[in-house]
Amino acid sequence: MARTIPDITLNDGNTIPQLGFGVFQIEPKDTVAAVRKALEVGYRHVDTAQMYGNEAEVGQAIREAGLDRDEVFVTSKLNNAFHRPDDARAAFESTLSALRTDHLDLFLIHWPLPTRYDGDFVSTWQVLEEFRRDGRARSIGVSNFQVPHLERLAAETDVVPAVNQVEAHPYFGNEQVRAYGAAHDIRTEAWSPIAQGRVLTDPVIVDIAEQVGRTPAQVVLRWHVQRGDIVFPKSTTPQRIEENFRIFDFTLDDATMERITGLDRGPAGRQGSDPDTFDYIPA
Ligand code: NDP
């Protein structure tokens, strides 16, 4: 299938495909098949993390697909257990060796963990700046950062994150964080873009899907890309992996976009954890 995915230009001049493939909660044993299917369909961007436990299998799938490393945009994220600078350096090396690559396209601080490490995510960010300087991370960014966290990085560090990967979907628009990003040239990546399936049976989404002759997942993913966000839906179902890729050959009009945006339930609509209090550290 021809590649049809738009590239988004980041604040450091690098580009990222606006649609990717997420691998959270894909068992290592299922990861090679899922990622190979996604690459076969045409995805050229994979979002993994050390905490997902499947970086090695993502790397294996890319090699088995016969693609050059530079044909696929690969993101990974720092394990919550390794925010201290020396730990972060070692964790980044483990990520590179698991993926069997000498660089990442994008490396993120997975969570700010403001109640851990004496609230110091600044020195962790400065270590990511080193990875960018030495070229092993082409772009660096953050994930689950709230506005005060981003303000603190702006005040105390040199590099503006290229992206902030946060929860966003029709039930939780995360508008304040998105607005801060838009104002400061930080691209928003929307995680759990279909709220792990929860929004797909919403009567408004189902109604729109019928009107435009698309599936509920395609409608919701299309809404994200028209908002300008980067998305990487996860699926281990081959037919859904294909379905989620076919979102660049139709458009939603302004009234339809507003109907979907109107489903926002504020913080009550969150599917995942609140970054201000989330403090999980793997054993
Ligand atoms: P998603 O919103 O992508 O939803 C995935 C779920 O929806 C799965 O159960 C999947 O089922 C189902 N699904 C996928 N496509 C369809 C479809 N077309 N129709 C019906 N059901 C469908 O959830 P995720 O939480 O996985 O988020 C996506 C990615 O975001 C993650 O994989 C990860 O890369 C990233 N993420 C990042 C976080 C962070 O803290 N930075 C936190 C959470 C996610 P099935 O697989 O059975 O087909």
Side-chain angles (χ1 to χ4, degrees), residues 21-25 47-48 52 77 110-111 143-144 165 190-197 200 215 217 232-237 240 243-244:
F21 185 68
V23 298
F24 176 44
Q25 292 175 329
D47 184 88
T48 185
Y52 301 168
K77 317 186 190 85
H110 204 149
W111 289 88
S143 177
N144 299 301
Q165 182 178 127
W191 64 249
S192 293
I194 55 174
Q196 300 195 335
L200 303 183
T215 68
F232 22 80
K234 169 265 175 186
S235 178
T236 47
T237 312
R240 290 175 174 171
E243 174 185 327
N244 297 343

Side-chain angles (χ1 to χ4, degrees), residues 38-267:
L39 295 171
E40 210 177 281
V41 166
Y43 294 78
R44 290 292 180 269
H45 163 189
V46 182
D47 184 88
T48 185
Q50 190 173 71
M51 289 195 291
Y52 301 168
N54 54 21
E55 289 171 315
E57 290 75 11
V58 167
Q60 184 185 338
I62 294 169
R63 288 190 303 279
E64 283 184 11
L67 292 165
D68 284 344
R69 170 67 189 83
D70 282 340
E71 290 181 85
V72 185
F73 189 103
V74 179
T75 300
S76 194
K77 317 186 190 85
L78 180 67
N79 189 313
N80 287 351
F82 303 132
H83 275 214
R84 290 197 183 85
D86 279 344
D87 293 342
R89 292 183 188 103
F92 184 64
E93 283 181 15
S94 311
T95 284
L96 292 177
S97 76
L99 281 153
R100 287 174 54 188
T101 183
D102 60 1
H103 72 278
L104 285 189
D105 297 283
L106 178 60
F107 190 64
L108 310 179
I109 298 182
H110 204 149
W111 289 88
L113 304 176
T115 64
R116 297 275 190 181
Y117 303 104
D118 300 320
D120 175 20
F121 45 76
V122 171
S123 59
T124 313
W125 177 248
Q126 286 162 335
V127 174
L128 268 66
E129 292 181 344
E130 288 172 20
F131 305 154
R132 197 183 83 143
R133 271 197 303 276
D134 69 24
R136 291 183 302 159
R138 301 234 163 117
S139 296
I140 54 173
V142 293
S143 177
N144 299 301
F145 273 46
Q146 305 277 57
V147 171
H149 306 143
L150 296 169
E151 285 171 338
R152 189 161 162 214
L153 288 188
E156 299 181 31
T157 69
D158 298 329
V159 178
V160 178
V163 307
N164 186 18
Q165 182 178 127
V166 292
E167 178 173 355
H169 47 71
Y171 287 164
F172 181 57
N174 214 341
E175 300 303 349
Q176 281 180 328
V177 171
R178 290 182 72 253
Y180 182 94
H184 296 84
D185 206 9
I186 300 169
R187 296 307 293 231
T188 297
E189 298 192 321
W191 64 249
S192 293
I194 55 174
Q196 300 195 335
R198 190 163 56 109
V199 295
L200 303 183
T201 50
D202 186 282
V204 169
I205 302 292
V206 171
D207 182 50
I208 293 168
E210 278 165 13
Q211 274 177 31
V212 301
R214 295 289 173 147
T215 68
Q218 288 172 327
V219 165
V220 174
L221 294 171
R222 181 71 210 172
W223 171 80
H224 283 286
V225 301
Q226 283 187 216
R227 276 159 45 107
D229 290 353
I230 298 158
V231 281
F232 22 80
K234 169 265 175 186
S235 178
T236 47
T237 312
Q239 163 216 328
R240 290 175 174 171
I241 295 173
E242 288 181 28
E243 174 185 327
N244 297 343
F245 192 76
R246 290 198 307 271
I247 57 168
F248 292 97
D249 55 351
F250 73 108
T251 51
L252 301 173
D253 63 25
D254 291 348
T256 305
M257 288 291 293
E258 277 163 33
R259 272 183 86 193
I260 301 174
T261 305
L263 296 174
D264 195 348
R265 300 173 179 176

